[in-house]
Amino acid sequence: ETGEVQGRGANGRVESVRSGVAGTPRMGPRFLMEMTAKWYKQHFLPELDFHLRDGQDYAVGDLKVGGNAQSINTGRFCHHTSFPINIDWQALNKTLKQPAKQPEWRKHRTHKEFIGDISALLRQTSWQTVDTSVEGLAARLVSGAKESFMCEEISTEQAWQDLKDCKYRQVSIQEEVGLDSI
């Protein structure tokens, strides 16, 4: 199976890390979510009460701290996670409407009441030595991936090309989703 983790490299550019993961006959969305939640808890956010909520949402306590998407095919998977870091609440509220369909555990809370900012949550812990900058958290994520998997760092451009070349999935062209400026 293959997976991908993105972070910022030493030069400040966003980099992708491709990794090999041992295959399993139980591969499916729920298994993948459970596996990644355990990995994130152990290697990325051990200081926080990080857990999987309702089998599909990453949470710390009662705050949602990650959005994700998967593509699972025979012999491979691609898992993407977005962690909110240093949230600009004003911009978020202008851009993101309150969803009509909500998980029960959201309880119709506002975005600020429901979404947890990873940097802010880490600053509240007793682990004051954690670098909560985007660069620091990305470096921590990449370091954990390198410890856990056979990894090769590649550029964002190469990651996009790999996704476009994948015969199992149609991928939007980078320019269409506005990621040229990363």
Side-chain angles (χ1 to χ4, degrees):
E1 313 299 320
T2 60
E4 180 179 327
V5 177
Q6 287 193 344
R8 292 194 184 270
N11 62 3
R13 293 184 56 204
V14 174
E15 303 289 333
S16 293
V17 179
R18 279 189 292 199
S19 61
V21 178
T24 174
R26 300 182 313 153
M27 183 60 74
R30 184 165 296 270
F31 175 78
L32 186 55
M33 289 300 298
E34 290 170 358
M35 179 181 73
T36 56
K38 286 178 189 174
W39 188 88
Y40 286 134
K41 169 65 178 165
Q42 182 179 356
H43 297 281
F44 182 51
L45 299 168
E47 303 85 359
L48 300 176
D49 174 28
F50 186 88
H51 58 277
L52 191 60
R53 186 77 187 243
D54 294 343
Q56 62 187 12
D57 290 322
Y58 297 128
V60 170
D62 68 345
L63 298 174
K64 182 174 180 173
V65 295
N68 63 81
Q70 304 84 27
S71 174
I72 304 170
N73 297 293
T74 305
R76 65 178 59 202
F77 74 87
C78 180
H79 177 84
H80 162 81
T81 301
S82 298
F83 290 111
I85 299 171
N86 298 325
I87 297 172
D88 177 341
W89 293 106
Q90 188 175 10
L92 183 131
N93 286 324
K94 284 183 182 177
T95 308
L96 195 59
K97 295 179 181 177
Q98 192 78 353
K101 184 178 176 185
Q102 301 182 9
E104 186 177 317
W105 72 282
R106 180 168 181 148
K107 300 176 185 170
H108 300 284
R109 293 181 283 170
T110 66
H111 296 314
K112 192 167 185 174
E113 295 168 328
F114 180 64
I115 299 170
D117 182 313
I118 294 290
S119 292
L121 291 168
L122 282 169
R123 285 191 295 269
Q124 293 172 8
T125 69
S126 59
W127 294 67
Q128 299 301 318
T129 58
V130 174
D131 180 355
T132 60
S133 68
V134 171
E135 294 79 12
L137 292 172
R140 184 182 223 197
L141 189 60
V142 170
S143 174
K146 287 180 176 179
E147 289 175 15
S148 304
F149 308 110
M150 296 179 346
C151 295
E152 168 193 2
E153 283 194 52
I154 61 172
S155 68
T156 301
E157 293 79 16
Q158 182 63 51
W160 275 105
Q161 190 60 49
D162 288 354
L163 286 170
K164 286 189 232 180
D165 292 345
C166 181
K167 65 181 180 180
Y168 298 105
R169 177 159 167 76
Q170 295 291 323
V171 178
S172 298
I173 297 174
Q174 184 173 355
E175 293 75 18
E176 289 179 13
V177 291
L179 298 177
D180 323 25
S181 60
I182 294 180

